[in-house]
Amino acid sequence: MAMRQTPLTCSGHTRPVVDLAFSGITPYGYFLISACKDGKPMLRQGDTGDWIGTFLGHKGAVWGATLNKDATKAATAAADFTAKVWDAVSGDELMTLAHKHIVKTVDFTQDSNYLLTGGQDKLLRIYDLNKPEAEPKEISGHTSGIKKALWCSEDKQILSADDKTVRLWDHATMTEVKSLNFNMSVSSMEYIPEGEILVITYGRSIAFHSAVSLDPIKSFEAPATINSASLHPEKEFLVAGGEDFKLYKYDYNSGEELESYKGHFGPIHCVRFSPDGELYASGSEDGTLRLWQTVVGKTYGLWKCVLPEIASENSDCIYPSAPDVKA
C-alpha cells in the first residue's frame, strides 16, 4: 500500500513565512529558524517542529534568518533597517547592526566570527562580530536590491543575488569574479558546500551551477512559478515550491517528478532540507511551517510507522501532529 505524505504543521506565526534555515547537527539534534513578516522569528527543534522560543526585538517584518552551524547564534534581517545577532540558547539579543535601508539576508562564516548582510541599499556588508563597534567592510556593484548573500568556498568567496543577477565575489580582494544574468527575477538561491553546487530558481526554472565558476550543471522546468528549491544532502532529490501551493519532489539525476503534494493554503516562499536529509521544511504565505518526510512511512521524529501485523489489519501509519504552538 502506498503511504500518504502527512506533514507536521507548525503554527504560531501570524503573517507569511518568508525564510527558514536549519542549523548543522549538534549534540542536541538540529534546529530550525523561521523569518516572518510578523517581525517575530522563531526557533524550533528541527526534527519535530516543537517550538523553543521567539526572538523579540525587531520593529518590522523579518525577511531573512539563519543559524550558525552549532546553533549557538542566530541572525536576522529586517525591514526596520537592522540586522540582529542573538544568543540562540538564551534568546538574548547580542547586537543590533544598523543599516540605511531594509535588510533582506544574513549569513555567518563557518567560525561564526563574521556576519554577511545584504538588502535594499544594494551593498554587501561584512561585520566582525568580535568588534561590533567597528565599521563593516562594504562591497558595492549590485544594481538592484540584494535578495540573498551567502559565504561559499570555505568563506573565501561570496555569492549574492539581486533581481536578475547572481554575482561571485572574492573575499580577500572584495572584487567581483563573475556574474550570471537572467531574463527574469531570481526568486531564491541555495549553496551546497559538498560539491560546491549553487541552486537558483527563477520563473519556473530550477537551475544548478558550479559555485566556483558559475558554470551551468543542469536545470529543470516546473509546472508553476517556483519561489524556492533545495537539494538533498546526498544529491538524490530536490524539492521545490511556489505559486501553486504545491511541493514538488524531483530525482536530481534524471529530472523526473517523483511526487507532488498540496498542503499549504497559500504560495510557498521557502523550502529547505534538514542537515540529515530525513525531512524538508516549507514556509508559506499562509503563516505556517510544514515538515515533510523525504522517505514517506519511515519512523522518524514525530512520525511513527505501525506495521499492519503489529497493530490491526486496517492500520497504516500513525502520524502524530506537531504541537499547535501559539507563541
Side-chain angles (χ1 to χ4, degrees), residues 18-20 35 62-65 77-78 102-107 116-124 142-150 158-167 169 182-190 200-203 225-228 269-270 272:
V18 291
D19 192 28
L20 56 87
V62 175
W63 287 103
I102 294 167
V103 192
K104 284 291 189 75
T105 178
V106 280
D107 195 35
L116 173 67
T117 72
Q120 289 297 95
D121 63 2
K122 309 172 191 174
L123 291 173
L124 292 167
H142 277 284
T143 56
S144 60
I146 296 166
K147 295 180 174 181
K148 197 75 174 177
L150 300 166
I158 294 167
L159 289 158
S160 56
D162 62 21
D163 187 35
K164 294 182 179 177
T165 310
V166 169
R167 299 176 194 270
W169 309 85
F182 298 90
N183 59 5
M184 56 185 71
S185 185
V186 174
S187 51
S188 76
M189 186 171 73
E190 179 187 51
I200 303 167
T201 60
Y202 56 97
T225 299
I226 295 299
N227 293 329
S228 184
H269 295 309
C270 43
R272 283 292 177 267

Side-chain angles (χ1 to χ4, degrees), residues 31-44:
F31 299 88
L32 172 64
I33 191 170
S34 53
C36 180
K37 289 185 183 179
D38 64 9
K40 298 174 181 176
M42 290 187 178
L43 183 68
R44 297 178 184 273

Side-chain angles (χ1 to χ4, degrees), residues 12-319:
H13 282 302
T14 57
R15 296 284 311 282
V17 178
V18 291
D19 192 28
L20 56 87
F22 284 101
S23 71
I25 297 171
T26 78
Y28 307 99
Y30 60 88
F31 299 88
L32 172 64
I33 191 170
S34 53
C36 180
K37 289 185 183 179
D38 64 9
K40 298 174 181 176
M42 290 187 178
L43 183 68
R44 297 178 184 273
Q45 192 72 40
D47 59 341
T48 63
D50 288 339
W51 176 75
I52 295 170
T54 301
F55 299 103
L56 298 174
H58 279 296
K59 295 180 174 64
V62 175
W63 287 103
T66 192
L67 293 165
N68 64 351
K69 250 188 334 192
D70 58 6
T72 56
K73 286 181 182 174
T76 50
D80 61 8
F81 293 19
T82 70
K84 290 181 184 286
V85 180
W86 312 80
D87 183 319
V89 180
S90 68
D92 294 334
E93 182 182 313
L94 298 177
M95 62 187 75
T96 295
L97 306 170
H99 289 62
K100 294 173 182 172
H101 213 312
I102 294 167
V103 192
K104 284 291 189 75
T105 178
V106 280
D107 195 35
F108 288 108
T109 48
Q110 291 183 18
D111 60 12
S112 309
N113 286 331
Y114 295 89
L115 186 74
L116 173 67
T117 72
Q120 289 297 95
D121 63 2
K122 309 172 191 174
L123 291 173
L124 292 167
R125 288 183 174 84
I126 300 168
Y127 290 88
D128 184 341
L129 299 182
N130 296 312
K131 300 174 185 173
E133 70 290 339
E135 287 296 311
K137 295 179 183 174
E138 293 184 352
I139 302 176
S140 60
H142 277 284
T143 56
S144 60
I146 296 166
K147 295 180 174 181
K148 197 75 174 177
L150 300 166
W151 294 102
C152 67
S153 304
E154 298 181 332
D155 304 331
K156 294 188 184 86
Q157 294 183 305
I158 294 167
L159 289 158
S160 56
D162 62 21
D163 187 35
K164 294 182 179 177
T165 310
V166 169
R167 299 176 194 270
L168 179 66
W169 309 85
D170 180 79
H171 181 198
T173 63
M174 311 277 278
T175 56
E176 184 179 311
V177 177
K178 195 173 179 182
S179 65
L180 287 172
N181 294 302
F182 298 90
N183 59 5
M184 56 185 71
S185 185
V186 174
S187 51
S188 76
M189 186 171 73
E190 179 187 51
Y191 167 64
I192 312 294
E194 297 76 20
E196 297 286 342
I197 297 171
L198 184 61
V199 187
I200 303 167
T201 60
Y202 56 97
R204 289 170 33 185
S205 298
I206 306 160
F208 300 86
H209 291 255
S210 163
V212 177
S213 64
L214 296 190
D215 292 340
I217 299 170
K218 62 174 75 177
S219 65
F220 305 133
E221 287 290 312
T225 299
I226 295 299
N227 293 329
S228 184
S230 186
L231 182 61
H232 188 271
E234 301 297 324
K235 303 170 192 63
E236 299 169 1
F237 316 107
L238 63 121
V239 291
E243 293 300 306
D244 64 352
F245 306 7
K246 280 187 175 181
L247 275 161
Y248 294 91
K249 183 179 174 186
Y250 294 94
D251 182 294
Y252 175 65
N253 294 308
S254 69
E256 177 191 356
E257 183 185 314
L258 302 174
E259 296 155 334
S260 66
Y261 307 113
K262 189 171 179 180
H264 283 289
F265 298 99
I268 294 162
H269 295 309
C270 43
V271 294
R272 283 292 177 267
F273 270 106
S274 62
D276 62 1
E278 291 287 352
L279 60 82
Y280 45 99
S282 56
S284 166
E285 183 76 16
D286 65 16
T288 66
L289 286 165
R290 291 174 195 252
L291 305 182
W292 310 76
Q293 281 191 289
T294 303
V295 180
V296 179
K298 189 173 181 178
T299 294
Y300 181 83
L302 294 180
W303 290 281
K304 184 171 175 58
C305 190
V306 180
L307 297 175
E309 58 267 25
I310 295 174
S312 69
E313 52 186 55
N314 294 323
S315 70
D316 188 355
C317 276
I318 297 171
Y319 298 101

